Amino acid sequence: MLLLGHLRVEVVLTTTLDAAQRAAIVRLCTAAFAQDFGALFDLVPVTASHMLVRLDDILIGHTAWMPRWLQPGEQPPLRTAYVDAVATLPAYQGRGIGSAMMQRLADQIQDYELGGLATSRVAFYERLGWELWRGPLSARTSQGSQRTPNEQVMILRLPKTPPHLDLDLPLSVEWRAGSVW
């Protein structure tokens, strides 16, 4: 299906978003996921980058990524572009916008060692080269490791990814309030 109008893609930092832009992102994510995303900017650090996709002046797509440290087994933690809030306005879903955003995101995160995200839409991301982590998942906390068995985490291998990364190893991430993964 063709999109009429002018499609624009912009990559910006959280620190450059004004209140109206933040509110538009929250509305988009709330509509796309049919759940309240009002706390999104409590989870997304100021160091995050955002990809905004607009059709004319309407925000129709968004994704954010931020640096996090994923640690496979006892290996050193990997500097990871952790992806969150991948959303397309419902009226524009199924037109390739999400796929195009994720392909463009892959180009944007080449300096990281790994791409990572949590999702229930495994098939969508597998089509785009992401791999499901098969090993057990946990969060690193000040009290030690805390298992997170109900999560599905996917990774994207990048040029700086260790060559023999074993997806069956345990994988941990640093704790964050609100949404660990």
Side-chain angles (χ1 to χ4, degrees):
M1 196 175 278
L2 290 174
L3 292 174
L4 302 176
H6 181 68
L7 197 62
R8 271 186 310 130
V9 178
E10 176 181 21
V11 174
V12 298
L13 297 173
T14 300
T15 54
T16 65
L17 295 170
D18 63 27
Q21 291 170 311
R22 287 175 183 232
I25 291 167
V26 168
R27 280 193 306 276
L28 166 66
C29 291
T30 297
F33 291 100
Q35 67 184 43
D36 182 14
F37 263 68
L40 176 64
F41 287 95
D42 295 336
L43 293 175
V44 175
V46 295
T47 56
S49 298
H50 300 261
M51 185 178 302
L52 308 174
V53 179
R54 290 188 179 89
L55 179 60
D56 298 322
D57 290 328
I58 302 167
L59 181 64
I60 63 170
H62 170 269
T63 189
W65 64 96
M66 64 220 66
R68 293 192 73 192
W69 295 92
L70 272 57
Q71 184 174 11
E74 297 298 319
Q75 298 174 7
L78 301 174
R79 183 172 174 269
T80 302
Y82 194 80
V83 179
D84 236 329
V86 179
T88 303
L89 200 60
Y92 296 93
Q93 290 175 1
R95 300 183 190 193
I97 294 165
S99 296
M101 276 193 310
M102 293 306 294
Q103 290 166 342
R104 175 114 181 232
L105 177 134
D107 294 336
Q108 295 285 319
I109 63 173
Q110 295 293 302
D111 285 339
Y112 287 87
E113 293 175 284
L114 197 64
L117 57 79
T119 186
S120 60
R121 298 192 57 210
V122 171
F124 171 78
Y125 292 101
E126 280 181 333
R127 285 189 301 109
L128 301 169
W130 291 74
E131 299 171 80
L132 184 63
W133 196 271
R134 297 180 298 263
L137 304 172
S138 63
R140 299 183 304 275
T141 72
S142 58
Q143 291 81 35
S145 182
Q146 179 181 6
R147 296 284 305 255
T148 57
N150 297 325
E151 298 287 345
Q152 291 187 93
V153 171
M154 299 188 79
I155 60 105
L156 181 66
R157 295 174 194 265
L158 299 170
K160 294 181 180 181
T161 300
H164 302 291
L165 184 62
D166 183 352
L167 302 184
D168 292 311
L169 287 173
L171 184 68
S172 66
V173 67
E174 73 279 6
W175 175 263
R176 71 172 176 178
S179 174
V180 175
W181 287 98

